PDB file of all heavy atoms in Angstrom:
ATOM      1  N   ARG A  58     136.246  65.571  87.088  1.00 84.00           N
ATOM      2  CA  ARG A  58     137.366  64.797  86.618  1.00 84.00           C
ATOM      3  C   ARG A  58     138.529  65.739  86.494  1.00 84.00           C
ATOM      4  O   ARG A  58     138.411  66.731  85.780  1.00 84.00           O
ATOM      5  CB  ARG A  58     137.055  64.140  85.304  1.00 84.00           C
ATOM      6  CG  ARG A  58     138.175  63.301  84.799  1.00 84.00           C
ATOM      7  CD  ARG A  58     137.879  62.573  83.488  1.00 84.00           C
ATOM      8  NE  ARG A  58     136.716  61.651  83.730  1.00 84.00           N
ATOM      9  CZ  ARG A  58     135.507  61.748  83.088  1.00 84.00           C
ATOM     10  NH1 ARG A  58     135.316  62.696  82.198  1.00 84.00           N
ATOM     11  NH2 ARG A  58     134.561  60.904  83.405  1.00 84.00           N
ATOM     12  N   VAL A  59     139.615  65.470  87.130  1.00 84.00           N
ATOM     13  CA  VAL A  59     140.842  66.236  87.077  1.00 84.00           C
ATOM     14  C   VAL A  59     141.853  65.509  86.202  1.00 84.00           C
ATOM     15  O   VAL A  59     142.204  64.368  86.516  1.00 84.00           O
ATOM     16  CB  VAL A  59     141.463  66.540  88.490  1.00 84.00           C
ATOM     17  CG1 VAL A  59     142.711  67.336  88.337  1.00 84.00           C
ATOM     18  CG2 VAL A  59     140.409  67.220  89.400  1.00 84.00           C
ATOM     19  N   ILE A  60     142.270  66.131  85.112  1.00 82.00           N
ATOM     20  CA  ILE A  60     143.162  65.508  84.200  1.00 82.00           C
ATOM     21  C   ILE A  60     144.552  66.168  84.269  1.00 82.00           C
ATOM     22  O   ILE A  60     144.618  67.371  84.053  1.00 82.00           O
ATOM     23  CB  ILE A  60     142.619  65.552  82.758  1.00 82.00           C
ATOM     24  CG1 ILE A  60     141.219  64.885  82.670  1.00 82.00           C
ATOM     25  CG2 ILE A  60     143.591  64.914  81.773  1.00 82.00           C
ATOM     26  CD1 ILE A  60     140.488  65.223  81.433  1.00 82.00           C
ATOM     27  N   GLN A  61     145.545  65.435  84.641  1.00 81.00           N
ATOM     28  CA  GLN A  61     146.918  65.938  84.750  1.00 81.00           C
ATOM     29  C   GLN A  61     147.824  65.011  83.925  1.00 81.00           C
ATOM     30  O   GLN A  61     148.161  63.961  84.337  1.00 81.00           O
ATOM     31  CB  GLN A  61     147.371  65.921  86.179  1.00 81.00           C
ATOM     32  CG  GLN A  61     146.548  66.865  87.119  1.00 81.00           C
ATOM     33  CD  GLN A  61     146.962  66.792  88.524  1.00 81.00           C
ATOM     34  OE1 GLN A  61     146.956  65.656  89.105  1.00 81.00           O
ATOM     35  NE2 GLN A  61     147.286  67.894  89.126  1.00 81.00           N
ATOM     36  N   GLY A  62     148.085  65.501  82.722  1.00 81.00           N
ATOM     37  CA  GLY A  62     148.908  64.622  81.840  1.00 81.00           C
ATOM     38  C   GLY A  62     148.148  63.337  81.457  1.00 81.00           C
ATOM     39  O   GLY A  62     147.005  63.413  81.010  1.00 81.00           O
ATOM     40  N   ASP A  63     148.827  62.241  81.778  1.00 85.00           N
ATOM     41  CA  ASP A  63     148.125  60.920  81.520  1.00 85.00           C
ATOM     42  C   ASP A  63     147.339  60.396  82.711  1.00 85.00           C
ATOM     43  O   ASP A  63     146.817  59.326  82.667  1.00 85.00           O
ATOM     44  CB  ASP A  63     149.117  59.915  81.019  1.00 85.00           C
ATOM     45  CG  ASP A  63     150.249  59.617  82.002  1.00 85.00           C
ATOM     46  OD1 ASP A  63     150.378  60.330  83.054  1.00 85.00           O
ATOM     47  OD2 ASP A  63     151.050  58.675  81.808  1.00 85.00           O
ATOM     48  N   ARG A  64     147.326  61.133  83.831  1.00 84.00           N
ATOM     49  CA  ARG A  64     146.570  60.709  85.046  1.00 84.00           C
ATOM     50  C   ARG A  64     145.205  61.413  84.992  1.00 84.00           C
ATOM     51  O   ARG A  64     145.013  62.533  84.641  1.00 84.00           O
ATOM     52  CB  ARG A  64     147.300  61.177  86.279  1.00 84.00           C
ATOM     53  CG  ARG A  64     148.429  60.334  86.671  1.00 84.00           C
ATOM     54  CD  ARG A  64     149.064  60.753  88.001  1.00 84.00           C
ATOM     55  NE  ARG A  64     148.030  61.362  88.900  1.00 84.00           N
ATOM     56  CZ  ARG A  64     148.412  62.068  89.985  1.00 84.00           C
ATOM     57  NH1 ARG A  64     149.692  62.283  90.279  1.00 84.00           N
ATOM     58  NH2 ARG A  64     147.514  62.562  90.731  1.00 84.00           N
ATOM     59  N   SER A  65     144.199  60.692  85.481  1.00 83.00           N
ATOM     60  CA  SER A  65     142.841  61.198  85.629  1.00 83.00           C
ATOM     61  C   SER A  65     142.296  60.750  86.980  1.00 83.00           C
ATOM     62  O   SER A  65     142.394  59.598  87.342  1.00 83.00           O
ATOM     63  CB  SER A  65     141.980  60.622  84.453  1.00 83.00           C
ATOM     64  OG  SER A  65     140.665  61.094  84.595  1.00 83.00           O
ATOM     65  N   LEU A  66     141.756  61.768  87.716  1.00 83.00           N
ATOM     66  CA  LEU A  66     141.144  61.492  88.998  1.00 83.00           C
ATOM     67  C   LEU A  66     139.741  62.009  89.025  1.00 83.00           C
ATOM     68  O   LEU A  66     139.435  63.034  88.456  1.00 83.00           O
ATOM     69  CB  LEU A  66     141.982  62.189  90.118  1.00 83.00           C
ATOM     70  CG  LEU A  66     143.416  61.963  90.168  1.00 83.00           C
ATOM     71  CD1 LEU A  66     144.100  63.001  91.108  1.00 83.00           C
ATOM     72  CD2 LEU A  66     143.693  60.521  90.691  1.00 83.00           C
ATOM     73  N   GLU A  67     138.830  61.262  89.668  1.00 86.00           N
ATOM     74  CA  GLU A  67     137.446  61.740  89.817  1.00 86.00           C
ATOM     75  C   GLU A  67     137.145  61.908  91.289  1.00 86.00           C
ATOM     76  O   GLU A  67     137.546  61.098  92.130  1.00 86.00           O
ATOM     77  CB  GLU A  67     136.494  60.796  89.141  1.00 86.00           C
ATOM     78  CG  GLU A  67     136.622  60.815  87.630  1.00 86.00           C
ATOM     79  CD  GLU A  67     135.529  59.979  86.922  1.00 86.00           C
ATOM     80  OE1 GLU A  67     134.562  59.531  87.619  1.00 86.00           O
ATOM     81  OE2 GLU A  67     135.641  59.785  85.712  1.00 86.00           O
ATOM     82  N   GLY A  68     136.378  62.960  91.575  1.00 89.00           N
ATOM     83  CA  GLY A  68     136.017  63.184  92.962  1.00 89.00           C
ATOM     84  C   GLY A  68     134.956  64.349  93.037  1.00 89.00           C
ATOM     85  O   GLY A  68     134.373  64.683  92.040  1.00 89.00           O
ATOM     86  N   LEU A  69     134.836  64.840  94.221  1.00 91.00           N
ATOM     87  CA  LEU A  69     133.831  65.882  94.477  1.00 91.00           C
ATOM     88  C   LEU A  69     134.568  67.193  94.645  1.00 91.00           C
ATOM     89  O   LEU A  69     135.465  67.313  95.544  1.00 91.00           O
ATOM     90  CB  LEU A  69     133.058  65.553  95.721  1.00 91.00           C
ATOM     91  CG  LEU A  69     131.897  66.460  96.086  1.00 91.00           C
ATOM     92  CD1 LEU A  69     130.786  66.363  95.045  1.00 91.00           C
ATOM     93  CD2 LEU A  69     131.348  66.126  97.456  1.00 91.00           C
ATOM     94  N   ALA A  70     134.232  68.216  93.839  1.00 90.00           N
ATOM     95  CA  ALA A  70     134.909  69.546  94.059  1.00 90.00           C
ATOM     96  C   ALA A  70     134.479  70.147  95.350  1.00 90.00           C
ATOM     97  O   ALA A  70     133.274  70.172  95.717  1.00 90.00           O
ATOM     98  CB  ALA A  70     134.532  70.425  92.874  1.00 90.00           C
ATOM     99  N   CYS A  71     135.457  70.696  96.127  1.00 93.00           N
ATOM    100  CA  CYS A  71     135.197  71.278  97.418  1.00 93.00           C
ATOM    101  C   CYS A  71     135.704  72.711  97.545  1.00 93.00           C
ATOM    102  O   CYS A  71     136.113  73.112  98.582  1.00 93.00           O
ATOM    103  CB  CYS A  71     135.852  70.379  98.504  1.00 93.00           C
ATOM    104  SG  CYS A  71     135.213  68.716  98.573  1.00 93.00           S
ATOM    105  N   GLY A  72     135.719  73.416  96.418  1.00 92.00           N
ATOM    106  CA  GLY A  72     136.181  74.826  96.413  1.00 92.00           C
ATOM    107  C   GLY A  72     137.681  74.943  96.287  1.00 92.00           C
ATOM    108  O   GLY A  72     138.358  74.053  95.789  1.00 92.00           O
ATOM    109  N   VAL A  73     138.217  76.042  96.771  1.00 90.00           N
ATOM    110  CA  VAL A  73     139.622  76.260  96.751  1.00 90.00           C
ATOM    111  C   VAL A  73     140.144  76.648  98.118  1.00 90.00           C
ATOM    112  O   VAL A  73     139.325  77.102  98.986  1.00 90.00           O
ATOM    113  CB  VAL A  73     140.065  77.363  95.753  1.00 90.00           C
ATOM    114  CG1 VAL A  73     139.695  76.962  94.331  1.00 90.00           C
ATOM    115  CG2 VAL A  73     139.404  78.693  96.099  1.00 90.00           C
ATOM    116  N   ASP A  74     141.435  76.429  98.424  1.00 89.00           N
ATOM    117  CA  ASP A  74     141.937  76.757  99.759  1.00 89.00           C
ATOM    118  C   ASP A  74     142.514  78.160  99.668  1.00 89.00           C
ATOM    119  O   ASP A  74     142.398  78.877  98.737  1.00 89.00           O
ATOM    120  CB  ASP A  74     142.944  75.712 100.220  1.00 89.00           C
ATOM    121  CG  ASP A  74     144.234  75.643  99.430  1.00 89.00           C
ATOM    122  OD1 ASP A  74     144.466  76.555  98.546  1.00 89.00           O
ATOM    123  OD2 ASP A  74     145.033  74.747  99.648  1.00 89.00           O
ATOM    124  N   THR A  75     143.211  78.554 100.773  1.00 84.00           N
ATOM    125  CA  THR A  75     143.718  79.895 100.861  1.00 84.00           C
ATOM    126  C   THR A  75     144.832  80.243  99.898  1.00 84.00           C
ATOM    127  O   THR A  75     145.182  81.364  99.640  1.00 84.00           O
ATOM    128  CB  THR A  75     144.210  80.199 102.307  1.00 84.00           C
ATOM    129  OG1 THR A  75     145.212  79.247 102.641  1.00 84.00           O
ATOM    130  CG2 THR A  75     143.079  80.135 103.318  1.00 84.00           C
ATOM    131  N   ASP A  76     145.447  79.214  99.292  1.00 80.00           N
ATOM    132  CA  ASP A  76     146.455  79.397  98.270  1.00 80.00           C
ATOM    133  C   ASP A  76     145.891  79.382  96.851  1.00 80.00           C
ATOM    134  O   ASP A  76     146.594  79.573  95.909  1.00 80.00           O
ATOM    135  CB  ASP A  76     147.501  78.298  98.350  1.00 80.00           C
ATOM    136  CG  ASP A  76     148.326  78.358  99.601  1.00 80.00           C
ATOM    137  OD1 ASP A  76     148.556  79.434 100.143  1.00 80.00           O
ATOM    138  OD2 ASP A  76     148.760  77.294 100.103  1.00 80.00           O
ATOM    139  N   GLY A  77     144.528  79.099  96.774  1.00 82.00           N
ATOM    140  CA  GLY A  77     143.942  78.959  95.445  1.00 82.00           C
ATOM    141  C   GLY A  77     143.985  77.628  94.868  1.00 82.00           C
ATOM    142  O   GLY A  77     143.553  77.379  93.757  1.00 82.00           O
ATOM    143  N   ALA A  78     144.436  76.606  95.634  1.00 86.00           N
ATOM    144  CA  ALA A  78     144.486  75.246  95.134  1.00 86.00           C
ATOM    145  C   ALA A  78     143.091  74.661  95.083  1.00 86.00           C
ATOM    146  O   ALA A  78     142.291  74.908  95.978  1.00 86.00           O
ATOM    147  CB  ALA A  78     145.346  74.345  96.023  1.00 86.00           C
ATOM    148  N   LEU A  79     142.790  73.943  94.029  1.00 88.00           N
ATOM    149  CA  LEU A  79     141.471  73.282  93.951  1.00 88.00           C
ATOM    150  C   LEU A  79     141.447  72.152  94.916  1.00 88.00           C
ATOM    151  O   LEU A  79     142.409  71.379  95.086  1.00 88.00           O
ATOM    152  CB  LEU A  79     141.333  72.670  92.498  1.00 88.00           C
ATOM    153  CG  LEU A  79     140.075  71.831  92.292  1.00 88.00           C
ATOM    154  CD1 LEU A  79     138.813  72.695  92.417  1.00 88.00           C
ATOM    155  CD2 LEU A  79     140.166  71.187  90.917  1.00 88.00           C
ATOM    156  N   LEU A  80     140.363  72.077  95.714  1.00 92.00           N
ATOM    157  CA  LEU A  80     140.176  71.000  96.689  1.00 92.00           C
ATOM    158  C   LEU A  80     139.225  69.987  96.076  1.00 92.00           C
ATOM    159  O   LEU A  80     138.110  70.315  95.644  1.00 92.00           O
ATOM    160  CB  LEU A  80     139.645  71.582  97.957  1.00 92.00           C
ATOM    161  CG  LEU A  80     140.542  72.570  98.706  1.00 92.00           C
ATOM    162  CD1 LEU A  80     139.798  73.165  99.888  1.00 92.00           C
ATOM    163  CD2 LEU A  80     141.837  71.947  99.104  1.00 92.00           C
ATOM    164  N   VAL A  81     139.651  68.705  96.026  1.00 92.00           N
ATOM    165  CA  VAL A  81     138.840  67.647  95.503  1.00 92.00           C
ATOM    166  C   VAL A  81     138.845  66.493  96.510  1.00 92.00           C
ATOM    167  O   VAL A  81     139.884  66.032  96.942  1.00 92.00           O
ATOM    168  CB  VAL A  81     139.380  67.168  94.131  1.00 92.00           C
ATOM    169  CG1 VAL A  81     138.481  66.029  93.584  1.00 92.00           C
ATOM    170  CG2 VAL A  81     139.485  68.308  93.117  1.00 92.00           C
ATOM    171  N   GLU A  82     137.626  66.047  96.865  1.00 95.00           N
ATOM    172  CA  GLU A  82     137.538  64.922  97.736  1.00 95.00           C
ATOM    173  C   GLU A  82     137.508  63.642  96.886  1.00 95.00           C
ATOM    174  O   GLU A  82     136.622  63.483  96.062  1.00 95.00           O
ATOM    175  CB  GLU A  82     136.202  64.956  98.556  1.00 95.00           C
ATOM    176  CG  GLU A  82     136.141  63.886  99.584  1.00 95.00           C
ATOM    177  CD  GLU A  82     134.929  64.083 100.509  1.00 95.00           C
ATOM    178  OE1 GLU A  82     134.744  65.148 101.075  1.00 95.00           O
ATOM    179  OE2 GLU A  82     134.170  63.052 100.628  1.00 95.00           O
ATOM    180  N   ILE A  83     138.512  62.771  97.115  1.00 92.00           N
ATOM    181  CA  ILE A  83     138.614  61.517  96.351  1.00 92.00           C
ATOM    182  C   ILE A  83     138.739  60.384  97.327  1.00 92.00           C
ATOM    183  O   ILE A  83     139.604  60.332  98.181  1.00 92.00           O
ATOM    184  CB  ILE A  83     139.909  61.578  95.452  1.00 92.00           C
ATOM    185  CG1 ILE A  83     139.863  62.759  94.470  1.00 92.00           C
ATOM    186  CG2 ILE A  83     140.094  60.243  94.709  1.00 92.00           C
ATOM    187  CD1 ILE A  83     141.102  63.070  93.760  1.00 92.00           C
ATOM    188  N   GLU A  84     137.748  59.504  97.258  1.00 92.00           N
ATOM    189  CA  GLU A  84     137.695  58.320  98.112  1.00 92.00           C
ATOM    190  C   GLU A  84     137.765  58.716  99.575  1.00 92.00           C
ATOM    191  O   GLU A  84     138.543  58.098 100.377  1.00 92.00           O
ATOM    192  CB  GLU A  84     138.763  57.337  97.687  1.00 92.00           C
ATOM    193  CG  GLU A  84     138.539  56.766  96.301  1.00 92.00           C
ATOM    194  CD  GLU A  84     139.692  55.775  95.919  1.00 92.00           C
ATOM    195  OE1 GLU A  84     140.615  55.540  96.785  1.00 92.00           O
ATOM    196  OE2 GLU A  84     139.609  55.283  94.778  1.00 92.00           O
ATOM    197  N   GLY A  85     137.058  59.764  99.958  1.00 93.00           N
ATOM    198  CA  GLY A  85     136.994  60.184 101.344  1.00 93.00           C
ATOM    199  C   GLY A  85     138.096  61.052 101.844  1.00 93.00           C
ATOM    200  O   GLY A  85     138.134  61.573 102.936  1.00 93.00           O
ATOM    201  N   ALA A  86     139.117  61.285 101.003  1.00 96.00           N
ATOM    202  CA  ALA A  86     140.247  62.158 101.404  1.00 96.00           C
ATOM    203  C   ALA A  86     140.235  63.443 100.539  1.00 96.00           C
ATOM    204  O   ALA A  86     140.086  63.393  99.298  1.00 96.00           O
ATOM    205  CB  ALA A  86     141.548  61.419 101.188  1.00 96.00           C
ATOM    206  N   ARG A  87     140.429  64.528 101.223  1.00 96.00           N
ATOM    207  CA  ARG A  87     140.475  65.835 100.512  1.00 96.00           C
ATOM    208  C   ARG A  87     141.890  66.094  99.987  1.00 96.00           C
ATOM    209  O   ARG A  87     142.886  65.967 100.703  1.00 96.00           O
ATOM    210  CB  ARG A  87     140.023  66.931 101.424  1.00 96.00           C
ATOM    211  CG  ARG A  87     139.771  68.245 100.657  1.00 96.00           C
ATOM    212  CD  ARG A  87     139.138  69.254 101.568  1.00 96.00           C
ATOM    213  NE  ARG A  87     137.709  68.881 101.634  1.00 96.00           N
ATOM    214  CZ  ARG A  87     136.810  69.724 102.059  1.00 96.00           C
ATOM    215  NH1 ARG A  87     137.150  70.918 102.481  1.00 96.00           N
ATOM    216  NH2 ARG A  87     135.546  69.400 102.129  1.00 96.00           N
ATOM    217  N   ARG A  88     142.038  66.310  98.645  1.00 93.00           N
ATOM    218  CA  ARG A  88     143.321  66.512  98.039  1.00 93.00           C
ATOM    219  C   ARG A  88     143.405  67.955  97.488  1.00 93.00           C
ATOM    220  O   ARG A  88     142.417  68.451  96.926  1.00 93.00           O
ATOM    221  CB  ARG A  88     143.573  65.514  96.952  1.00 93.00           C
ATOM    222  CG  ARG A  88     143.621  64.121  97.485  1.00 93.00           C
ATOM    223  CD  ARG A  88     143.925  63.070  96.454  1.00 93.00           C
ATOM    224  NE  ARG A  88     145.143  63.375  95.684  1.00 93.00           N
ATOM    225  CZ  ARG A  88     145.663  62.589  94.793  1.00 93.00           C
ATOM    226  NH1 ARG A  88     145.073  61.452  94.459  1.00 93.00           N
ATOM    227  NH2 ARG A  88     146.777  62.960  94.166  1.00 93.00           N
ATOM    228  N   ARG A  89     144.571  68.536  97.555  1.00 93.00           N
ATOM    229  CA  ARG A  89     144.893  69.829  96.915  1.00 93.00           C
ATOM    230  C   ARG A  89     145.363  69.572  95.551  1.00 93.00           C
ATOM    231  O   ARG A  89     146.238  68.738  95.332  1.00 93.00           O
ATOM    232  CB  ARG A  89     145.943  70.559  97.694  1.00 93.00           C
ATOM    233  CG  ARG A  89     145.548  70.913  99.104  1.00 93.00           C
ATOM    234  CD  ARG A  89     146.706  71.562  99.849  1.00 93.00           C
ATOM    235  NE  ARG A  89     146.824  72.940  99.414  1.00 93.00           N
ATOM    236  CZ  ARG A  89     147.897  73.538  98.946  1.00 93.00           C
ATOM    237  NH1 ARG A  89     148.999  72.854  98.807  1.00 93.00           N
ATOM    238  NH2 ARG A  89     147.903  74.818  98.545  1.00 93.00           N
ATOM    239  N   VAL A  90     144.799  70.307  94.550  1.00 88.00           N
ATOM    240  CA  VAL A  90     145.253  70.114  93.158  1.00 88.00           C
ATOM    241  C   VAL A  90     145.951  71.386  92.753  1.00 88.00           C
ATOM    242  O   VAL A  90     145.283  72.433  92.635  1.00 88.00           O
ATOM    243  CB  VAL A  90     144.089  69.770  92.264  1.00 88.00           C
ATOM    244  CG1 VAL A  90     144.550  69.672  90.858  1.00 88.00           C
ATOM    245  CG2 VAL A  90     143.378  68.486  92.694  1.00 88.00           C
ATOM    246  N   LEU A  91     147.255  71.328  92.594  1.00 81.00           N
ATOM    247  CA  LEU A  91     148.076  72.480  92.108  1.00 81.00           C
ATOM    248  C   LEU A  91     148.910  71.916  90.908  1.00 81.00           C
ATOM    249  O   LEU A  91     149.644  71.001  91.139  1.00 81.00           O
ATOM    250  CB  LEU A  91     149.044  72.961  93.160  1.00 81.00           C
ATOM    251  CG  LEU A  91     148.471  73.870  94.269  1.00 81.00           C
ATOM    252  CD1 LEU A  91     149.468  74.126  95.312  1.00 81.00           C
ATOM    253  CD2 LEU A  91     148.025  75.152  93.630  1.00 81.00           C
TER     254      LEU A  91
END
């Protein structure tokens, strides 16, 4: 669960990318969390 202020997202952690951004797969789409 990624909590950003009042937003909360759940997904599958997929490591980090070359910038160090957390990669989370949410509903089939991979998102960068910075």
Side-chain angles (χ1 to χ4, degrees):
R58 179 177 299 120
V59 178
I60 302 166
Q61 296 176 306
D63 60 352
R64 282 184 30 196
S65 178
L66 306 167
E67 290 188 8
L69 186 68
C71 300
V73 297
D74 68 8
T75 56
D76 294 328
L79 175 66
L80 299 174
V81 180
E82 187 175 309
I83 300 170
E84 298 177 0
R87 193 169 281 197
R88 296 182 56 177
R89 297 176 76 233
V90 178
L91 280 173

